[in-house]
Amino acid sequence: MALFTFFLSAILVSTFACGVLSLFGSIVIARERITNVLFYSQTAKIGMVLGLFLNTVLDSKSTLTPFLFSLLLTAIFYIVSEYIGAKALANKEAIFLALFAIASQMEELFLFLFKGVEKHELGQFYGDIVTIEGEHIFWLSVITFLFLIIFIFYEKKWFIESFNQMILKIKNKNFDNFVLYHVSVMIFITICVLFMGLWLTIVSLLVPSIFLSKLPFKNRWIYYAVLFFVSAGGCSLGFVGSLLIESIPTTPLIICMIGLTTFFVRIVIKINLTNQPNINLEVKSL
């Protein structure tokens, strides 16, 4: 019981963040930006390492520097990669997978070169939901709530733009919505990677939408509610399970539970909604 009390704040905020990530994932899937997101998420970790190294050089303990470097580097790579993707003649998925592989090895190289970075500092910013505490819990909850509000207010515009872009092949003419979407995704993913880890962020963002988007729903908001509770439920089950069986690592169990919960809900929905009106929300139907 003492463990549950100690980790209660981390359980609640990680559950909330995973749920909101799945909402943004529905738009990412609709716009076919899966490999893009993998690449952006990896660049956030590189920026964190560079920020911590700068702290070492300046003999500073600032917690703001790693976050600013992560956001800055992600923004730079975001803009450059979008330009490359728009101009490239080759398969865009292959391009971003290659960039993701290169970025992951860049991170390993920087970790080797910047040996002055203390291990406890890496642990503080290296995205482990088990070790998140205090100030980080507060800021992750506030930031997640802010992006939930942004999603609620702009979801319809993003949904229509996704349909126009992917189905009607109409280029987005609303620059403000375009910028807000990309900035929101970039910032939210970067912060979640730093607080929660790369793979927990990626799985929460993408897995529910990938496997549930083709199922029939009466309307979008039922779909979003299912995404939220699948991701949040899987996260909470995994976290609680790791506390009950202390030998099991927390993050891998959470990731597996999100996957299992997604498949379970997919099976249940297919059984119960087969005869209902089919509002196909798969990527190609947006």
Side-chain angles (χ1 to χ4, degrees), residues 208 211-218 222-223 225-227 230 261-276 278:
F211 292 101
L212 299 179
S213 61
K214 295 183 179 181
L215 299 179
F217 294 92
K218 289 184 178 180
I222 292 178
Y223 171 55
V226 171
L227 291 180
V230 163
T261 305
T262 300
F263 287 120
F264 174 77
V265 171
R266 176 183 170 85
I267 293 171
V268 171
I269 292 176
K270 289 190 73 172
I271 293 174
N272 290 287
L273 300 181
T274 302
N275 298 322
Q276 294 190 16
N278 186 7

Side-chain angles (χ1 to χ4, degrees), residues 74-88:
T74 303
I76 292 172
F77 277 104
Y78 196 107
I79 295 170
V80 172
S81 59
E82 285 293 322
Y83 177 80
I84 294 174
K87 299 295 182 181

Side-chain angles (χ1 to χ4, degrees), residues 54-113:
L54 182 62
N55 273 351
T56 302
V57 172
L58 300 177
D59 194 23
S60 171
K61 299 295 183 181
S62 172
T63 58
L64 186 60
T65 305
F67 290 111
L68 291 180
F69 259 80
S70 294
L71 290 173
L72 177 61
L73 197 65
T74 303
I76 292 172
F77 277 104
Y78 196 107
I79 295 170
V80 172
S81 59
E82 285 293 322
Y83 177 80
I84 294 174
K87 299 295 182 181
L89 298 177
N91 186 299
K92 294 181 182 180
E93 297 290 304
I95 291 174
F96 282 104
L97 280 176
L99 290 173
F100 170 71
I102 293 171
S104 64
Q105 295 310 301
M106 285 177 61
E107 177 197 359
E108 295 296 327
L109 179 61
F110 288 156
L111 285 173
F112 174 79
L113 294 175

Side-chain angles (χ1 to χ4, degrees), residues 1 7 23 53 60 63 65 71 79 81 85 88 97 99 107 111 131 141 149 173 181 188 192 194 252 276:
M1 188 64 184
F7 285 107
L23 300 181
F53 177 70
S60 171
T63 58
T65 305
L71 290 173
I79 295 170
S81 59
L97 280 176
L99 290 173
E107 177 197 359
L111 285 173
T131 60
S141 60
I149 298 300
K173 296 181 180 180
Y181 163 75
F188 191 37
C192 286
L194 297 182
Q276 294 190 16

Side-chain angles (χ1 to χ4, degrees), residues 2-286:
L3 277 177
F4 285 98
T5 302
F6 181 80
F7 285 107
L8 181 60
S9 297
I11 294 173
L12 293 177
V13 72
S14 60
T15 298
F16 183 40
C18 286
V20 176
L21 275 168
S22 70
L23 300 181
F24 278 87
S26 66
I27 307 297
V28 171
I29 295 297
R31 300 191 180 201
E32 298 182 348
R33 292 291 189 269
I34 298 176
T35 50
N36 307 49
V37 166
L38 286 173
F39 174 56
Y40 306 147
S41 301
Q42 186 62 49
T43 59
K45 296 180 68 178
I46 296 174
M48 180 274 298
V49 174
L50 292 175
L52 288 176
F53 177 70
L54 182 62
N55 273 351
T56 302
V57 172
L58 300 177
D59 194 23
S60 171
K61 299 295 183 181
S62 172
T63 58
L64 186 60
T65 305
F67 290 111
L68 291 180
F69 259 80
S70 294
L71 290 173
L72 177 61
L73 197 65
T74 303
I76 292 172
F77 277 104
Y78 196 107
I79 295 170
V80 172
S81 59
E82 285 293 322
Y83 177 80
I84 294 174
K87 299 295 182 181
L89 298 177
N91 186 299
K92 294 181 182 180
E93 297 290 304
I95 291 174
F96 282 104
L97 280 176
L99 290 173
F100 170 71
I102 293 171
S104 64
Q105 295 310 301
M106 285 177 61
E107 177 197 359
E108 295 296 327
L109 179 61
F110 288 156
L111 285 173
F112 174 79
L113 294 175
F114 303 154
K115 294 182 178 179
V117 177
E118 298 292 337
K119 288 186 177 180
H120 74 274
E121 293 178 331
L122 285 174
Q124 183 181 8
F125 293 100
Y126 227 61
D128 188 348
I129 195 60
V130 179
T131 60
I132 187 174
E133 58 183 18
E135 184 180 358
H136 288 180
I137 289 180
F138 171 77
W139 283 113
L140 180 58
S141 60
V142 170
I143 291 168
T144 302
F145 181 76
L146 172 63
F147 282 103
L148 174 60
I149 298 300
I150 291 175
F151 180 87
I152 291 172
F153 276 95
Y154 286 91
E155 170 276 335
K156 185 175 182 179
K157 295 178 181 178
W158 293 342
F159 180 89
I160 293 172
E161 288 174 359
S162 299
F163 181 85
N164 290 340
Q165 178 180 331
M166 303 308 301
I167 303 302
L168 303 180
K169 305 301 180 182
I170 299 174
K171 292 185 178 180
N172 178 34
K173 296 181 180 180
N174 191 320
F175 184 74
D176 292 340
N177 287 338
F178 176 82
V179 171
L180 180 62
Y181 163 75
H182 284 281
V183 170
S184 297
V185 171
M186 181 189 70
I187 294 176
F188 191 37
I189 289 176
T190 299
I191 291 172
C192 286
V193 166
L194 297 182
F195 282 132
M196 298 169 54
L198 175 65
W199 292 112
L200 179 55
T201 299
I202 293 299
V203 169
S204 301
L205 185 78
L206 300 178
V207 168
S209 292
I210 288 175
F211 292 101
L212 299 179
S213 61
K214 295 183 179 181
L215 299 179
F217 294 92
K218 289 184 178 180
N219 59 63
R220 296 194 312 277
W221 287 103
I222 292 178
Y223 171 55
Y224 295 145
V226 171
L227 291 180
F228 183 93
F229 286 108
V230 163
S231 189
C235 177
S236 59
L237 286 173
F239 213 132
V240 171
S242 70
L243 295 180
L244 294 175
I245 309 175
E246 297 181 25
S247 60
I248 298 180
T250 303
T251 300
L253 183 59
I254 291 175
I255 290 173
C256 290
M257 289 308 300
I258 291 175
L260 289 174
T261 305
T262 300
F263 287 120
F264 174 77
V265 171
R266 176 183 170 85
I267 293 171
V268 171
I269 292 176
K270 289 190 73 172
I271 293 174
N272 290 287
L273 300 181
T274 302
N275 298 322
Q276 294 190 16
N278 186 7
I279 303 176
N280 200 339
L281 288 175
E282 61 177 307
V283 174
K284 294 297 184 181
S285 297
L286 285 172

